[in-house]
């Protein structure tokens, strides 16, 4: 086709070669489904499936040949000798019947052959899955895992080391764990037996084991290695293909959905023992990745975290808060490198994929005068380099396979559609690695790509017919199509449906290309000229910050998402709802007024402005004085000052929940944040409290334990230039009609507190005529000391008591008797493992005449009125 154009680069507008070729779609789907089922099946069942499919495919092929011969025979019966004109006419008719017969025979043969081809693909997928599963059961490692054996193993790393996400477990943050995928190549048992193997495993390293520098390879000292890695853990600096020797316990894998035979748990504080250097390509990729990290060191936190993720998939700097924001807005495909990055790079070099019929006319290769075959070869090299540097994640593999097939189509002049390329990529990749059939990342990547190739062009054309500008229509259609197909799978993973995903993806899309292009330019420039790379990184930080701000803003909306069943039944229900919504939306687009009304109602539901929600839900109640937020197993309370201002006491364990509670209360200014003590269930949500609000100061207890949580609070305050002060007994403050006195802890407590709970800041608050006592997590020793202190005379007859320590059984009966609250509020998480609140504590409070309410059953609570008009509202 290109040669016929008479031009070296081909025709500007070559003619289309025909309709979209869908012949590979059915085999690809069959291979995917078969592999997903077969990787967990027994060898006998896999063998039976392969045998049945081969026999059936052979029978269908024979039937197809017979159908073709029958068609030719049917056509031959119409011919006959013709002598006269009438006879000649009969002969002509017979020849026509012969052609029709051959056509019918060809169609039947094609159907039989297509069915046989699908069965052959099913057999191949089952065989590949069976062989891969058999590899996991071979060798000594599975048997050692069943015995939980202690071994010394030599492993070859096959992925980048990564840290697990910190988890809030009760009052502390569970330590992060480092893990990576690897192949065990040699095992030395306790009795000295050495066994050679090649078995994939997951290596887990306890948090306390990540100290020290690599030893053994190249003679580098620990100090040199630490300097080379910029202060990072040497375990995190290990590159794929590096060979290590580890002492570990072999334990069984807990899930059959991943291609590992066992788990190696490395214990102790020894540094990584390197016995083999990484390969040359991996060392080169490591230098590029490390150069990108150094080039982004001077950027703000969001850009510093996001740019390495966008460019090479390095998410080690992404905070849990930012990760939550991207998950809530369905922007996780932008948080780490994906196939979209390769599309942008190839589009820059080859040309926009949307102009497949004249793709060679727009790219950098055409401007440099490269012929088509050279363009395809260079594009293939670029794709291979992309996979090496960005690592072979499922979405990267899918994009690389599609890109390679598309480049082959460009080189041969056959560029009809990217749909056959996608189907071929799925078929080949799943046959090569059947475990991809169970990968949610691979599924989402294929669904998103399929949506962009099928639904998005139709929806874009429909919007343009309704006078929507072309670029806006294309972007909106792409975001909506990808969300429509991916949302059911995302609901299975997160049990939530995002209502802001489409607008957030639409707004972020405009920044993805500049951030990616400038990020890759930074990656390329860093090894050559770090000052130039720093300038490029600074330019790239602008679109990166825009993407992060979109994610944070979308996630912060009160109606950003709705809970949804996390099952495949729920996914099917969501798919049906999506189909219905699309059908209704098509009708609404024909009527501007109903469309506008629907858009406004959806916007109000998502944003939930305070005046609107107050009218609809009655929350927050007029004149509220004190609110207790439902933040799960933790504490977060709010004291109203007035006109959008409030004092916040504790922040709970979850930034999203803390931020959402303050938004629904309409709090935009916080003169003071009081953190009663440094347990994670009281301070981990601090970023959500500070987000987008004017904060005057943060006040804490003087007992700085746990130390890591005290450091966390200090970093958050320093990053936002918020003064950090210490609360001591006797301090008095006020803000508007609100006044409070610190009752505990004393300046120099003796004996020292037994733990952080007994060092909790305790406040006696007056809001107009309302008296409140906030006890933090005080336990009986500190409660008894408080009851004996000079401040005890002020404790009698308070109106509202924030019950200490989530209503645990450790309460001082004398303090409850002295306080005798009218209303007792307990902040507690549902189904918590601690039995909070204790029935004895609830009974003791009720025995003193208190009305007891708890957040796990009553939700957010807001106290209104005073005296006889004291009341409480639930939300």
């Amino acid at each position: 086709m290109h040669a016929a154009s008479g031009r070296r680069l081909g025709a500007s507008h070559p003619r289309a070669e025909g309709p979209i070729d869908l012949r590979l779609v059915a085999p690809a789907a069959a291979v995917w489904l078969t592999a997903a089922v077969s990787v967990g099946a027994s060898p006998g069942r896999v063998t039976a499936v392969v045998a049945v499919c081969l026999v059936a495919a052979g029978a269908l092929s024979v039937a197809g040949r017979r159908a073709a011969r029958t068609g030719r025979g049917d056509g031959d019966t119409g011919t006959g000798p013709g002598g006269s004109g009438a006879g000649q006419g009969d002969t002509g008719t017979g020849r026509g019947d012969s052609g029709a017969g051959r056509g019918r025979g060809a169609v039947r043969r094609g159907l039989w052959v297509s069915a046989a081809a699908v069965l052959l693909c099913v057999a191949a997928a089952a065989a590949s899955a069976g062989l891969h599963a058999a590899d996991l059961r071979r060798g000594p490692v599975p048997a050692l895992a069943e015995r939980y054996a202690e071994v010394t193993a030599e492993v070859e790393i096959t992925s980048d080391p990564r840290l697990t996400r910190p988890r809030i477990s009760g009052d502390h943050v569970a330590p992060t764990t480092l893990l990576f995928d690897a192949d065990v190549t040699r095992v030395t048992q306790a009795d000295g037996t050495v066994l050679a193997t090649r078995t994939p495993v997951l290596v887990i390293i306890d948090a306390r084991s990540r100290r020290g520098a690599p030893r053994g390879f190249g003679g580098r000292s620990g100090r040199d290695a630490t300097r080379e890695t910029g202060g990072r853990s040497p375990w995190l600096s290990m590159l794929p293909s590096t060979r290590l020797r580890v002492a570990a316990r072999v334990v069984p894998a807990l899930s059959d959905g991943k291609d590992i035979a066992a788990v190696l748990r490395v214990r102790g504080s020894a540094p990584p023992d390197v016995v083999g250097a990484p390969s040359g390509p991996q060392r080169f990729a490591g230098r590029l990745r490390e150069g990108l990290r150094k080039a982004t060191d001077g950027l703000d936190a969001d850009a510093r975290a996001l740019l390495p993720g966008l460019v090479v998939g390095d998410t080690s700097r992404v905070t849990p808060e930012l990760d939550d924001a991207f998950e809530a807005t369905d922007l996780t495909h932008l948080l780490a490198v994906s196939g979209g990055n390769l599309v942008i790079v190839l589009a820059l070099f080859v040309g926009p994929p949307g102009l497949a019929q004249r793709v060679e006319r727009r790219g950098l290769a055409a401007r440099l005068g490269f012929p088509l075959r050279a363009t395809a070869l260079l594009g293939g090299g670029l794709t291979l380099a992309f996979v090496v540097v960005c690592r072979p994640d499922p979405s990267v593999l899918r994009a690389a396979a599609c890109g390679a097939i598309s480049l082959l189509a460009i080189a041969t002049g056959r560029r009809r559609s990217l749909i056959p390329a996608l189907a071929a990529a799925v078929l080949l990749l799943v046959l090569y690695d059947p475990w991809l059939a169970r990968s949610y990342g691979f599924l989402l990547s294929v669904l998103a790509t399929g949506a962009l190739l099928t639904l998005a062009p139709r929806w874009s054309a429909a919007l343009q017919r309704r006078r929507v500008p072309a670029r806006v229509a294309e972007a909106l259609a792409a975001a909506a199509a990808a969300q429509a197909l991916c949302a059911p799978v995302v609901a299975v993973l997160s049990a939530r449906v995002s209502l802001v995903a489409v607008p957030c993806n639409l707004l972020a899309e405009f920044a993805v290309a500049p951030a990616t292009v400038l990020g890759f330019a930074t990656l390329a420039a860093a090894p050559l000229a770090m000052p130039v790379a720093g300038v490029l990184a600074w330019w790239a930080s602008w679109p990166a910050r825009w993407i992060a701000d979109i994610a944070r803003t979308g996630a912060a909306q009160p109606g950003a998402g709705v809970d949804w069943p996390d099952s495949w039944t729920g996914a099917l229900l969501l798919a049906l709802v999506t189909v219905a919504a699309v059908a209704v939306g098509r009708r609404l687009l024909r009527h501007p007024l109903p469309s506008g009304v629907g858009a406004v109602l959806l916007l109000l539901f998502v944003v939930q402005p305070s005046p609107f929600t107050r009218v609809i839900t009655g929350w927050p109640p007029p004149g509220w004085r004190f609110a207790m937020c439902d933040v799960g197993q933790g504490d977060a309370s709010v004291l109203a000052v007035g006109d959008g201002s409030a004092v916040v006491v504790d922040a709970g364990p979850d930034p999203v929940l803390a931020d959402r509670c303050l938004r629904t209360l309409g709090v935009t200014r916080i003169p003071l944040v009081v953190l009663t003590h440094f347990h994670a269930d009281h301070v981990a949500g601090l970023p959500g409290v500070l987000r987008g609000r004017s904060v005057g100061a943060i006040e804490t207890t003087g007992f700085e334990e746990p130390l890591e949580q005290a450091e966390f609070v200090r970093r958050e305050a320093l990053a936002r230039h918020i003064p950090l002060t210490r609360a001591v007994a006797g301090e008095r403050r006020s803000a508007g009609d609100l006044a409070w006195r610190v009752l505990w802890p004393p300046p120099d407590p003796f004996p020292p507190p037994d733990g952080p709970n007994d060092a909790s800041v305790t406040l006696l608050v007056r809001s107009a005529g309302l008296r409140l006592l906030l006890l933090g997590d005080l336990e009986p020793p500190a409660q008894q000391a408080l009851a004996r202190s000079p401040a005890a005379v002020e404790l009698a007859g308070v109106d509202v008591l924030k019950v200490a320590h989530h209503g645990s059984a450790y309460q001082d009966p004398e303090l409850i008797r002295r306080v005798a609250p009218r209303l007792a509020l307990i902040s507690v998480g549902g189904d918590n493992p601690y039995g909070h609140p204790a029935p004895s504590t609830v009974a003791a409070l009720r025995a003193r005449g208190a009305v007891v309410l708890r957040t796990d059953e009553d939700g957010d609570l807001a106290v209104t009125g005073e005296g006889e008009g004291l009341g409480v509202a639930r939300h």
Side-chain angles (χ1 to χ4, degrees):
M1 179 178 66
H2 297 296
S5 69
R7 302 181 185 180
R8 185 167 60 93
L9 297 178
S12 298
H13 298 273
R15 184 170 300 178
E17 298 180 21
I20 296 175
D21 188 352
L22 300 178
R23 288 176 296 178
L24 284 177
V25 173
V31 164
W32 195 337
L33 180 61
T34 303
V37 174
S38 300
V39 288
S42 64
R45 290 185 178 181
V46 171
T47 303
V49 170
V50 173
V52 169
C53 289
L54 290 177
V55 171
L60 289 174
S61 297
V62 171
R65 286 195 295 271
R66 288 179 178 175
R69 286 197 299 268
T70 302
R72 287 194 295 270
D74 291 342
D76 292 341
T77 59
T79 62
S84 64
Q88 292 172 2
D90 292 341
T91 303
T93 304
R95 288 172 182 164
D97 290 342
S98 174
R102 291 192 185 98
R104 287 193 297 270
V107 169
R108 287 197 294 267
R109 182 175 183 273
L111 292 175
W112 292 117
V113 171
S114 297
V118 171
L119 287 175
L120 288 175
C121 288
V122 169
S128 177
L131 291 173
H132 278 77
D135 281 342
L136 298 184
R137 295 188 289 266
R138 287 189 310 161
V141 173
L144 292 171
E146 292 178 359
R147 305 200 312 265
Y148 291 81
E150 298 280 352
V151 301
T152 299
E154 290 187 12
V155 300
E156 181 178 327
I157 300 176
T158 57
S159 74
D160 284 310
R162 54 198 182 275
L163 292 173
T164 60
R165 178 173 174 171
R167 294 178 293 104
I168 304 297
S169 178
D171 56 12
H172 66 282
V173 178
T176 59
T177 300
L178 184 142
L179 46 86
F180 55 83
D181 299 322
D183 286 339
V184 176
T185 58
R186 186 184 298 269
V187 176
T188 304
Q189 301 186 73
D191 59 1
T193 304
V194 178
L195 303 171
T197 184
R198 187 79 181 184
T199 307
V201 297
L202 176 68
V203 181
I204 299 179
I205 302 164
D206 291 343
R208 61 179 177 273
S209 305
R210 301 197 307 271
R211 299 173 185 171
R215 66 167 194 257
F217 183 80
R220 294 185 305 168
S221 68
R223 181 175 301 176
D224 292 338
T226 303
R227 182 164 55 247
E228 288 180 13
T229 58
R232 300 175 68 207
S233 164
W235 283 100
L236 283 172
S237 302
M238 296 294 100
L239 296 173
S241 73
T242 302
R243 288 182 289 128
L244 305 176
R245 183 183 294 113
V246 296
R249 170 173 290 177
V250 189
V251 300
L254 297 180
S255 172
D256 62 353
K258 186 171 176 58
D259 55 340
I260 58 172
V263 174
L264 266 61
R265 299 195 66 94
V266 179
R267 298 188 180 276
S269 57
D273 186 3
V274 180
V275 297
S279 64
Q282 290 296 346
R283 287 199 300 270
F284 177 71
R287 286 196 294 270
L288 288 177
R289 293 166 70 94
E290 188 61 29
L292 179 62
R293 287 180 60 87
K294 291 180 179 178
T296 57
D297 280 343
L299 305 179
D300 63 45
D302 282 347
R304 187 168 62 247
L306 189 55
L307 266 179
L310 270 172
V311 178
V312 295
D314 181 1
T315 59
S316 58
R317 289 170 166 173
V318 175
T319 63
E321 180 194 6
L322 185 61
D323 184 59
D324 285 338
F326 274 78
E327 183 177 345
T329 53
D330 283 358
L331 288 171
T332 50
H333 61 286
L334 301 180
L335 189 60
V337 65
S338 69
N341 302 70
L342 179 58
V343 170
I344 292 172
V345 173
L346 286 179
L348 183 66
F349 181 71
V350 179
L355 301 177
Q357 298 304 324
R358 47 195 177 113
V359 69
E360 71 274 17
R361 287 298 172 193
R362 288 293 191 88
L364 183 62
R367 299 183 183 277
L368 296 176
F370 292 145
L372 290 178
R373 287 175 175 76
T375 299
L377 288 174
L378 291 173
L382 186 63
T383 301
L384 179 61
F386 181 87
V387 173
V388 171
V389 174
C390 299
R391 309 303 189 225
D393 290 330
S395 63
V396 174
L397 286 176
R398 190 271 311 155
C402 285
I405 294 172
S406 299
L407 289 169
L408 180 62
I410 291 173
T412 59
R414 299 177 58 85
R415 294 165 291 150
R416 284 184 289 182
S417 175
L418 290 176
I419 293 178
L422 177 61
V426 170
L427 191 150
L428 295 175
L429 287 174
V430 174
L431 286 177
Y432 174 74
D433 184 3
W435 295 98
L436 287 175
R438 290 192 173 188
S439 167
Y440 283 104
F442 186 71
L443 175 59
L444 289 171
S445 177
V446 172
L447 286 176
T449 305
L452 296 179
L453 297 178
T454 56
L455 294 180
R458 297 175 180 272
W459 291 4
S460 174
L463 290 172
Q464 292 180 52
R465 286 196 298 269
R466 289 167 174 80
R467 299 181 180 179
V468 177
R471 291 186 179 275
V472 176
E474 291 173 0
L476 182 59
Q483 179 66 14
L485 287 191
C486 294
V489 180
V490 174
V492 173
L493 296 174
S494 63
R496 192 170 178 81
V497 177
S498 175
L499 299 181
V500 297
V502 172
C504 287
N505 273 275
L506 181 63
L507 293 172
E509 188 64 29
F510 298 104
V512 172
T516 302
V517 172
L518 289 170
F520 273 101
T522 304
L523 180 76
L528 305 175
M530 185 57 69
V532 175
V535 173
L536 291 171
W538 183 82
W539 281 107
S541 69
W542 289 85
R545 281 201 303 267
W546 169 263
I547 296 172
D549 289 343
I550 291 297
R552 292 185 186 279
T553 303
Q557 303 310 311
V562 294
D563 294 334
W564 201 266
D566 57 344
S567 64
W568 288 110
T569 302
L572 178 60
L573 177 61
L574 181 57
L576 294 176
V577 170
T578 302
V579 171
V582 170
V584 172
R586 290 181 63 182
R587 293 182 177 274
L588 285 179
L589 285 176
R590 302 170 186 171
H591 307 284
L593 182 58
S595 299
V597 172
V600 170
L601 290 177
L602 179 61
L603 180 64
L604 289 175
F605 180 82
V606 170
V607 178
Q608 295 182 13
S610 296
F612 175 76
T613 55
R614 180 170 292 180
V615 171
I616 301 299
T617 66
W619 185 267
W624 67 277
R625 304 291 184 82
F626 172 76
M628 179 175 282
C629 301
D630 179 11
V631 291
Q633 185 66 15
D635 267 7
S637 302
V638 188
L639 295 160
V641 175
D643 192 25
S645 181
V647 171
V648 175
V649 181
D650 286 329
D654 190 329
V656 174
L657 295 180
D659 182 32
R660 187 173 299 162
C661 178
L662 294 177
R663 280 181 176 272
T664 59
L665 292 172
V667 175
T668 58
R669 295 185 303 280
I670 303 175
L672 182 68
V673 175
V674 179
L675 301 176
T676 59
H677 61 295
F678 290 107
H679 275 157
D681 56 335
H682 290 249
V683 304
L686 181 60
V689 173
L690 305 181
R691 184 183 303 144
R693 296 178 180 88
S694 172
V695 179
I698 299 175
E699 190 171 64
T700 70
T701 179
F703 190 77
E704 295 189 351
E705 289 188 12
L707 184 60
E708 63 272 13
Q709 292 305 113
E711 290 291 337
F712 162 75
V713 171
R714 189 174 292 110
R715 288 195 304 270
E716 291 293 323
L718 182 63
R720 294 168 174 82
H721 308 289
I722 300 174
L724 196 63
T725 63
R726 179 179 298 179
V728 294
E731 174 189 329
R732 296 179 181 271
R733 289 198 182 194
S734 63
D737 292 337
L738 191 69
W740 64 94
R741 178 184 176 188
V742 178
L743 303 181
W744 194 266
D748 297 302
F750 185 84
D754 193 33
N757 286 342
D758 276 345
S760 294
V761 177
T762 300
L763 302 177
L764 181 63
V765 183
R766 292 182 181 272
S767 179
L770 188 69
R771 300 177 71 243
L772 307 96
L773 179 62
L774 313 183
L775 290 175
D777 275 1
L778 287 188
E779 293 186 345
Q783 292 182 16
Q784 293 167 1
L786 177 62
R788 294 192 300 266
S789 69
V793 296
E794 302 183 50
L795 299 180
V798 301
D799 298 301
V800 180
L801 172 68
K802 201 291 295 184
V803 181
H805 203 183
H806 320 293
S808 75
Y810 301 104
Q811 308 287 338
D812 178 36
E814 177 60 25
L815 182 64
I816 292 178
R817 185 195 64 80
R818 180 184 292 271
V819 173
R822 298 170 58 192
L823 182 62
L825 306 181
I826 303 175
S827 182
V828 62
D831 299 323
N832 65 83
Y834 313 102
H836 296 164
S840 59
T841 299
V842 175
L845 290 166
R846 287 175 175 164
R848 292 295 172 181
V851 175
V852 180
L853 298 175
R854 41 195 285 187
T855 57
D856 62 332
E857 295 181 351
D858 302 300
D860 295 334
L861 302 169
V863 178
T864 60
E866 58 185 80
E868 296 301 322
L870 180 66
V872 62
R874 301 173 177 86
H875 180 237

